[in-house]
């Protein structure tokens, strides 16, 4: 059995690494809320978090996480759909 990490511990660590300028990798299940579709698991390397929405900007502010990396630019993922972080499996 591989190593696991709790969801909110993973996001806390992502924020700490971003504050220090250290990139990380993660995987998540994609989801398009508008169309109700998914294009499967996405793996992101050399990522850092970026500013997200404020609570007065979006009702999804607490679950929609912004990130940036060289390959994709500015992107989003849904926090509950995070699967892996730096090789650790997210524990539900």
């Amino acid at each position: 059995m591989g190593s696991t990490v709790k969801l909110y511990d993973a996001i806390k660590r992502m924020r700490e690494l971003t504050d220090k300028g250290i990139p990380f990798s993660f995987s998540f299940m994609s989801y398009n809320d508008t169309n109700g579709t998914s294009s499967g698991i996405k793996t992101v390397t050399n990522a850092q978090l970026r500013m997200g929405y404020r609570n007065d900007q979006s009702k999804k502010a607490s679950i929609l996480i912004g990130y940036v990396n060289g390959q994709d630019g500015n992107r989003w993922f849904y926090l509950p759909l995070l699967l892996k972080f730096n090789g650790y499996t997210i524990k539900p």
Side-chain angles (χ1 to χ4, degrees):
M1 183 172 181
S3 298
T4 61
V5 63
K6 292 180 182 176
L7 178 63
Y8 286 99
D9 290 339
I11 197 70
K12 178 181 176 184
R13 186 68 179 134
M14 286 177 172
R15 289 180 178 136
E16 290 170 353
L17 291 172
T18 296
D19 288 345
K20 294 177 182 177
I22 301 170
F24 52 85
S25 63
F26 65 99
S27 297
F28 62 95
M29 180 62 69
S30 69
Y31 180 67
N32 181 323
D33 190 39
T34 304
N35 301 327
T37 60
S38 173
S39 55
I41 296 174
K42 300 292 182 182
T43 299
V44 181
T45 58
N46 296 318
Q48 291 190 313
L49 298 182
R50 63 185 177 95
M51 293 295 290
Y53 290 119
R54 294 185 315 266
N55 288 335
D56 64 342
Q57 288 179 305
S58 173
K59 62 183 178 182
K60 298 177 187 173
S62 64
I63 61 168
L64 199 56
I65 307 298
Y67 70 91
V68 63
N69 74 343
Q71 299 92 333
D72 303 320
N74 291 337
R75 307 294 290 185
W76 301 94
F77 74 93
Y78 285 98
L79 183 58
L81 301 180
L82 184 63
L83 301 172
K84 291 191 175 217
F85 163 65
N86 273 353
Y88 292 92
T89 301
I90 302 301
K91 183 175 14 174

